[in-house]
Amino acid sequence: MVERIACFLTCGYTEAGAMQSFLKKINNKYEYRQYLPNKTKKKKGTPKTIHPKFSGLTGEGLLKKVYEIIEKHREELLSCRAIILEDDLDGRFHGMTEEQISQYKEEIAHTIREKLGGNLPVFILYASPEAESWFIADWKNGFEYLYKDSNVVTDVENRAKAFFTHHLRKYIGKDILKEYEDDIENYGFFNGEYFKLSDKLIDGIQTDIKEYIKAIEGANKEYVNQIVVSRDIFYSKKLHGDRMLRNIKPEILADKCRRYFSSVYYELHNLE
């Protein structure tokens, strides 16, 4: 019988749709059972929807719900091999020392074990600042795959798609990530104000990248025109996030996202 790992996920559409398959790529010895969000609905031919009482739960709100579920299903959870808590970080640790971060995570793990009445391994996996950072870090299997190879974009020819993804990567680095281009897990604060990476990508891919491409000197005009008028080139967490999460390779993230992702990757990968 395959042992289970209990999963408590940030209540967003990207994670609710595909996080279990992503975790299985890290360690395929286990079944990953999703306990939160545990109220998802899906009609044939439509994307999954999350019940309003769970949708958007993150941070302390997510932890409160996790603790409630653990208390309610204590005996069932004690039969699992481990607990995984996954959340977007969204700049939560900004200004904290490594010691303070470790203590914060250990307090969560301690509370979970205390409520369980057992000593299960607890993995706390942060997408920092959001899952979109993973789709950028593993570019080939993330955003390049989405717009070039996944058949999401049907109104742009293949060579124009390759042109678009090449310049999209440059645009994201220069105009969105800026000084965080080589430290994406720390992204978010500019002059003391926090900006959500997903919001910047949604706005940028919808409009700004098209203006950026129009301004490229000597660019193929036919490619530019196809991209500018395309109705398929946009970004939606609900429609696109789980596609990329299913496709990216965690071993690539372990090499590129060393601040928060890497250590948990190796702990889970080595779990026997």
Side-chain angles (χ1 to χ4, degrees), residues 13-127:
Y13 284 104
T14 297
E15 295 79 8
M19 183 58 73
Q20 290 145 292
S21 65
F22 176 75
L23 294 170
K24 201 163 186 66
K25 286 188 281 188
I26 299 177
N27 188 330
N28 65 7
K29 298 184 184 76
Y30 300 97
E31 172 196 343
Y32 295 85
R33 179 167 179 183
Q34 181 176 304
Y35 282 83
L36 185 70
N38 60 355
K39 297 288 184 183
T40 55
K41 303 176 182 177
K42 189 179 189 313
K43 293 182 180 178
K44 189 175 181 179
T46 63
K48 222 177 232 188
T49 59
I50 299 174
H51 193 286
K53 77 188 248 188
F54 297 110
S55 183
L57 273 180
T58 188
E60 295 306 312
L62 178 69
L63 286 174
K64 181 180 178 183
K65 181 56 65 175
V66 168
Y67 298 152
E68 287 177 8
I69 294 171
I70 286 172
E71 289 175 342
K72 186 176 180 180
H73 299 282
R74 177 178 166 273
E75 289 189 15
E76 181 181 336
L77 288 165
L78 278 171
S79 69
C80 295
R81 178 65 181 89
I83 304 285
I84 291 178
L85 171 63
E86 182 276 329
D87 196 7
D88 289 346
L89 203 48
D90 273 323
R92 199 178 316 155
F93 292 160
H94 182 67
M96 291 173 63
T97 65
E98 292 295 326
E99 183 179 354
Q100 288 171 324
I101 293 168
S102 295
Q103 182 178 351
Y104 175 82
K105 293 169 67 177
E106 184 49 45
E107 285 173 0
I108 294 171
H110 175 76
T111 301
I112 289 173
R113 292 188 188 106
E114 192 173 53
K115 290 184 180 297
L116 278 174
N119 197 33
L120 294 181
V122 176
F123 300 102
I124 302 174
L125 176 62
Y126 288 119

Side-chain angles (χ1 to χ4, degrees), residues 142-193:
F143 277 108
E144 181 177 302
Y145 160 77
L146 179 70
Y147 294 116
K148 181 170 172 277
D149 301 317
S150 73
N151 296 319
V152 160
V153 179
T154 61
D155 56 1
V156 176
E157 67 174 278
N158 288 339
R159 285 175 295 181
K161 289 180 189 178
F163 172 83
F164 171 73
T165 55
H166 173 76
H167 288 287
L168 176 64
R169 187 173 192 176
K170 287 187 172 183
Y171 163 78
I172 289 173
K174 177 177 176 289
D175 287 29
I176 294 181
L177 298 181
K178 300 179 180 178
E179 62 262 39
Y180 298 102
E181 187 171 7
D182 296 321
D183 189 17
I184 195 168
E185 287 185 295
N186 261 345
Y187 174 89
F189 282 90
F190 297 91
N191 298 318
E193 183 179 358

